[in-house]
Amino acid sequence: MEHDRIPLTLTEIFTASGGAGRAVLSPDGETIAVSGPAPGGGSGIHLLTGTSGADGPPTFRTSGGSQVWSPDGKLLAYIAGGALHVATPGEAGRTLVEGVEGLRTPAWSPDGGTLAYYSRESGYQDIWLVAADGESAPMPLTREGAEADDSRFSPMWSPEGRWIAYISNRADWWHDDVWLVEVATGQAHQVSTSLMASSSPVWSPDGSRLVLMGTAKDEYWYEDLAYLYLIDLDLSGSVPRVVREAPIEMQVHATDAIMRFDPFWSGDGERVYFPYQQRGAFDLWSVPASGGVATRVTNVGGAWSSLHATPDGRRAVFTRDAAGEGREVWLLDLQGGVPARLTSLSPEFAGIQRPTEISFRTFDGLYIQGFLYLPPVIRTALADGSEAPSCPALVQVHGGGTNSYTQGTNLIEQYLASEGFVVLAINYRGGSGFGREFQDLSVEDWLNDQSKDPGAAADWLRAQPYVNERVGIYGGSYGGMQSMSAITRTPDKFDAAVPMRGIYSESLTLPYADRLGKIFTITGHGGTPEERPEIYAKSETLDRMDRITAPVLIMHGEHDVRAPFENFTLAVERLETLGKEFESKTYPEGHGFRDPANSIDMYARLQAFFTRHLGTC
């Protein structure tokens, strides 16, 4: 369908449809069920038939999401209104489970008779089973499978239906191991010992092996550059026996994208497919299951958010967005060729630009990648060959630390550029997409050398004739940490800073963090604060706040446990004690904001703050 372009405003960015979401192929590869905007608002499930896209736009079927096809392709299971439903596409469905807490990720048994799903009814993330015909009540299968707030993984049925593979920290609170539970008896068995899972385990077509993304337990908990682990199993007896557990040898890594993606197998079980992000751009890759040279399957780049393949490994579907391209569904024939875009579900914003990819030299001679967004008045002047006006500049530092700024739509940077700011989004050292050696530069060195990279970006900006000499910095989560740290490491480089949802004292606030936050921090520092005080001293921004010279706007969610709210309290107290110029704002939110009104308010405050302190074009 055609969309009129809508204005690039904060209200539209946070309230307009985000485009296509989860997309899953029917087993025969002929129909796609895709999450997308529902009539009247919200999200729903659309069906797209004719996988060439020639049969027209998707047809809306029902509200809900988490859709998954039955093995025969005749039914869809999905979650709507907190309940699990099953329906024939186009007809009213029946409700199988309702009134339970944390219902998510339904998965069909191979014979289509049973659905497995996760819920928090037990106080943990546990797998439950329910008959697909609704004739029997749901029954729990696992016991204390994972922490209640850990919703990253899915239950995975073995091809013959005897086992379900899943990820659990039952053996050790700090570790995410692979387990098998026998469906008939509920007996659970740990089948991995050396890996830390970062995807769900996926069965080979013959049911003898599992493949998943993960990192080694004795290494840093890397994000986005994982190993592909292969677990060979002997399932002939009553208890699973692990024959081998080891990474697949290849020259690249796999990208889980914060545990968003799972690998998948070719139909004959000879190859494994996986996404890999390089320099902020995703593509699909393939490697022999026995190890060897991995090769790239797609050449489209962009930022990906969903990936699914048919059981025979013939076709795959993914959702992708890029600069100037909203998030849409793409279909790929795994024999090769060019992926085909199938949907037009995203809004089209006015004034979108394709940023210029640059590199700048940082303090120690390394070159750092950046994406440069220019205000319309500068772009027009450069195109005309006329003198461009001088505008204020901003350095954007991404979250995640070991993640990357990816080549998606990035509407906040687009918006700030449209409002007269030169924006440079950088992939500082320690992030993914540039190889393990680059990512290792921040291990046990958080917020030290990597916090000097933004200052070098500020120097590069000031050298441009269209920058008015005034530069700010902003970011959320690890980007909030970087923003605050940068104005203490290189205080002369920035004229204003907006750190959001950051950690400013790892040692003092670690006890308040959730499990994933604790694991990330302790592996990144090589131990606890008591074990590695000299390493935690490097990331202790709170102790360096006396060096701050720029005005600060600090914002945080009051219910945040990933970057505990105590960080905001400590930072405000320290800024007040030191007599620094600052403003603060909190919201009734967690780490990721859910209410669009709060996101709109936060970025409106950011824009107004930078305008006051940096000026305008």
Side-chain angles (χ1 to χ4, degrees):
M1 67 184 72
E2 293 295 326
H3 293 272
D4 294 330
R5 292 187 181 271
I6 61 176
L8 184 61
T9 66
L10 290 175
T11 298
E12 293 292 355
I13 287 172
F14 288 105
T15 60
S17 159
R22 173 182 171 85
V24 291
L25 281 158
S26 59
D28 64 3
E30 297 301 318
T31 307
I32 300 170
V34 55
S35 298
S43 178
I45 301 168
H46 304 250
L47 294 185
L48 180 65
T49 57
T51 48
S52 67
D55 288 359
T59 301
F60 176 75
R61 292 300 185 186
T62 183
S63 60
S66 300
Q67 66 275 15
V68 58
W69 292 97
S70 61
D72 61 6
K74 296 180 179 179
L75 298 171
L76 268 178
Y78 60 95
I79 295 174
L84 175 61
H85 309 272
V86 171
T88 301
E91 298 182 3
R94 59 180 177 271
T95 302
L96 299 183
V97 182
E98 58 184 338
V100 301
E101 186 176 354
L103 176 64
R104 65 179 186 88
T105 58
W108 290 90
S109 61
D111 64 4
T114 305
L115 281 155
Y117 62 91
Y118 270 107
S119 89
R120 297 193 303 270
E121 274 295 285
S122 64
Y124 292 85
Q125 288 282 344
D126 275 315
I127 300 172
W128 291 63
L129 302 177
V130 65
D133 59 10
E135 293 300 316
S136 59
M139 297 292 292
L141 180 62
T142 62
R143 180 177 60 84
E144 299 181 6
E147 296 298 297
D149 62 354
D150 189 350
S151 58
R152 293 173 294 160
F153 305 116
S154 303
M156 308 296 279
W157 290 85
S158 62
E160 85 295 343
R162 179 184 174 188
W163 305 95
I164 292 178
Y166 66 106
I167 304 300
S168 175
N169 69 328
R170 177 175 167 181
D172 187 320
W173 191 84
W174 296 98
H175 294 157
D176 292 321
D177 300 306
V178 182
W179 286 65
L180 300 186
V181 59
E182 191 171 34
V183 175
T185 66
Q187 293 296 310
H189 309 271
Q190 183 180 348
V191 295
S192 74
T193 56
S194 67
L195 66 86
M196 182 76 168
S198 55
S199 81
S200 299
V202 183
W203 292 90
S204 61
D206 66 1
S208 67
R209 294 176 290 177
L210 292 166
V211 68
L212 72 156
M213 301 183 202
T215 51
K217 288 181 180 179
D218 59 357
E219 289 185 343
Y220 181 40
W221 196 36
Y222 296 101
E223 287 288 344
D224 285 359
L225 289 181
Y227 304 114
L228 278 180
Y229 274 91
L230 200 65
I231 302 175
D232 293 316
L233 298 166
D234 178 357
L235 301 174
S236 59
S238 59
V239 175
R241 186 175 69 87
V242 179
V243 178
R244 180 175 178 268
E245 172 191 348
I248 296 175
E249 294 292 334
M250 61 180 179
Q251 83 279 16
V252 297
H253 291 86
T255 299
D256 58 84
I258 317 179
M259 291 78 173
R260 184 184 305 145
F261 295 120
D262 298 328
F264 64 90
W265 294 84
S266 61
D268 59 8
E270 294 297 317
R271 304 192 68 83
V272 176
Y273 293 85
F274 59 96
Y276 179 44
Q277 180 261 113
Q278 292 179 296
R279 301 186 64 80
F282 286 80
D283 272 298
L284 186 67
W285 287 61
S286 175
V287 66
S290 58
V293 176
T295 49
R296 190 163 65 180
V297 180
T298 64
N299 300 278
V300 295
W304 293 20
S305 55
S306 173
L307 175 65
H308 184 258
T310 54
D312 60 7
R314 183 170 53 92
R315 282 177 163 171
V317 66
F318 57 92
T319 51
R320 169 191 176 273
D321 66 289
E325 303 176 53
R327 194 165 64 243
E328 303 294 351
V329 176
W330 294 70
L331 179 70
L332 172 66
D333 185 331
L334 288 169
Q335 286 298 315
V338 180
R341 173 178 156 174
L342 301 184
T343 61
S344 296
L345 294 169
S346 300
E348 295 183 6
F349 287 94
I352 294 294
Q353 64 179 284
R354 182 174 296 279
T356 301
E357 183 179 356
I358 71 156
S359 294
F360 62 91
R361 190 165 60 190
T362 190
F363 70 96
D364 59 356
L366 298 182
Y367 282 83
I368 302 296
Q369 181 194 44
F371 295 93
L372 183 66
Y373 299 80
L374 297 176
V377 291
I378 294 178
R379 299 204 313 270
T380 299
L382 294 177
D384 294 344
S386 58
E387 184 176 354
S390 294
C391 298
L394 300 174
V395 175
Q396 193 272 1
V397 277
H398 65 78
T402 60
N403 302 118
S404 283
Y405 185 87
T406 59
Q407 298 186 39
T409 51
N410 298 314
L411 292 176
I412 291 299
E413 286 66 61
Q414 297 276 5
Y415 169 76
L416 290 171
S418 75
E419 291 294 305
F421 294 96
V422 176
V423 183
L424 181 60
I426 68 170
N427 273 323
Y428 50 82
R429 71 188 62 209
S432 58
F434 304 90
R436 179 70 87 222
E437 292 79 8
F438 186 84
Q439 201 173 36
D440 278 336
L441 290 174
S442 68
V443 176
E444 298 185 16
D445 199 49
W446 283 17
L447 306 180
N448 187 23
D449 281 351
Q450 68 177 184
S451 290
K452 301 171 188 174
D453 292 336
D459 286 341
W460 184 89
L461 285 166
R462 285 194 177 89
Q464 308 312 307
Y466 44 74
V467 172
N468 70 359
E469 295 293 318
R470 300 191 67 78
V471 181
I473 184 171
Y474 72 97
S477 190
Y478 203 96
M481 298 161 61
Q482 274 277 63
S483 298
M484 189 73 87
S485 181
I487 59 174
T488 70
R489 293 289 185 189
T490 56
D492 59 322
K493 306 295 186 183
F494 296 102
D495 301 290
V498 181
M500 299 170 284
R501 303 176 290 120
I503 297 174
Y504 313 116
S505 175
E506 294 282 6
S507 59
L508 294 178
T509 65
L510 183 61
Y512 303 100
D514 64 2
R515 175 175 174 267
L516 299 187
K518 285 185 172 74
I519 293 172
F520 188 54
T521 297
I522 290 173
T523 61
H525 290 76
T528 65
E530 294 76 21
E531 294 166 337
R532 305 298 301 277
E534 75 284 2
I535 304 299
Y536 281 82
K538 297 180 184 181
S539 64
E540 194 73 9
T541 303
L542 201 67
D543 288 347
R544 300 193 302 270
M545 286 186 176
D546 59 309
R547 306 176 189 175
I548 293 174
T549 58
V552 176
L553 169 59
I554 180 172
M555 295 185 279
H556 216 104
E558 296 157 6
H559 309 304
D560 197 338
V561 291
R562 181 61 49 82
F565 184 66
E566 287 76 8
N567 285 280
F568 173 86
T569 303
L570 289 169
V572 167
E573 289 176 351
R574 184 62 56 89
L575 292 168
E576 286 178 340
T577 300
L578 294 169
K580 301 299 182 181
E581 181 182 356
F582 78 97
E583 301 173 24
S584 63
K585 175 63 178 175
T586 66
Y587 298 89
E589 297 273 12
H591 194 59
F593 284 19
R594 294 181 178 273
D595 186 344
N598 290 330
S599 297
I600 293 167
D601 183 82
M602 181 172 66
Y603 282 103
R605 289 174 184 271
L606 176 150
Q607 178 189 352
F609 181 82
F610 281 137
T611 298
R612 287 198 307 275
H613 291 285
L614 305 180
T616 58
C617 293

